[in-house]
Every structure is written in structure tokens, then in C-alpha cells.
């Protein structure tokens, strides 16, 4: 319980969830209400952590799309050959 008190104010998601589960396992049937509370806390932290990861991934995808798509697509569109001036309509001889 002391470890939980140490990280309780600013819990890193995975560590806090695992610690709650371990404490719940240690309490077991001796304190059913405490065990239930620890498991609920663990699930809440895990759900919040997953939600934040999903939101971050979606925001990154939107930023990537707004920046012009995938870098690999941009690199594929590049060519090492010089364009043929006879094919370019801007260089018409009038």
C-alpha cells in the first residue's frame, strides 16, 4: 500500500494498474470491498490509458494527412530523370 501511496498522485498508467491488481490479489477474500475498489481503480486507469493512446494516434494521423500525406508517397513521386521539354506544354514554340 505504501507503493500505491507514493505513485497515487501522478500514476504512470501501466505501473499503477499492475500495482492495483497485485494489491487486490494480495488482499483477496480478507477485504472484498478493498479488493473490488483496487480492481475498479486498475480498470479505470487502464481504460483512460487506452483512450489517451487512441486519441494520440488519431491526432497524429490527422496531422500527417494535413502535412501532405505519407513521406514514402512523396518520395515515390520524385524522379531522377529530367522532364522531356517536347512533352511540356509550357515550352511551346510559338
Amino acid at each position: 500500500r505504501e507503493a500505491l501511496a507514493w505513485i497515487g498522485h501522478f500514476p504512470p498508467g501501466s505501473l499503477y494498474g499492475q500495482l492495483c491488481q497485485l494489491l487486490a490479489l494480495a488482499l483477496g477474500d480478507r477485504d472484498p470491498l478493498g479488493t473490488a475498489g483496487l480492481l475498479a481503480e486498475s480498470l479505470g486507469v487502464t481504460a483512460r490509458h487506452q483512450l489517451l493512446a487512441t486519441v494520440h494516434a488519431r491526432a497524429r494521423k490527422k496531422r500527417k494527412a494535413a502535412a501532405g500525406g505519407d513521406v514514402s508517397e512523396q518520395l515515390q513521386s520524385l524522379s531522377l530523370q529530367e522532364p522531356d521539354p517536347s512533352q511540356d506544354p509550357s515550352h511551346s514554340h510559338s
Side-chain angles (χ1 to χ4, degrees):
R1 288 194 180 246
E2 187 178 339
L4 187 63
W6 272 90
I7 65 167
H9 296 293
F10 304 103
S14 60
L15 176 64
Y16 188 75
Q18 288 177 348
L19 190 56
C20 286
Q21 289 174 4
L22 287 173
L23 285 172
L25 187 60
L27 278 178
D29 292 335
R30 289 180 290 139
D31 183 4
L33 190 59
T35 299
L38 286 167
L39 290 175
E41 183 77 13
S42 171
L43 288 173
V45 168
T46 300
R48 186 169 56 237
H49 181 73
Q50 289 176 343
L51 177 64
L52 288 173
T54 301
V55 168
H56 177 70
R58 286 182 183 169
R60 186 178 32 180
K61 276 186 178 179
K62 285 184 179 184
R63 280 195 309 269
K64 191 177 189 180
D70 192 8
V71 173
S72 63
E73 291 173 7
Q74 293 175 2
L75 289 175
Q76 287 176 353
S77 68
L78 296 177
S79 174
L80 295 176
Q81 297 175 349
E82 292 186 24
D84 186 1
S86 65
Q87 299 291 327
D88 191 2
S90 66
H91 285 92
S92 61
H93 299 298
S94 302

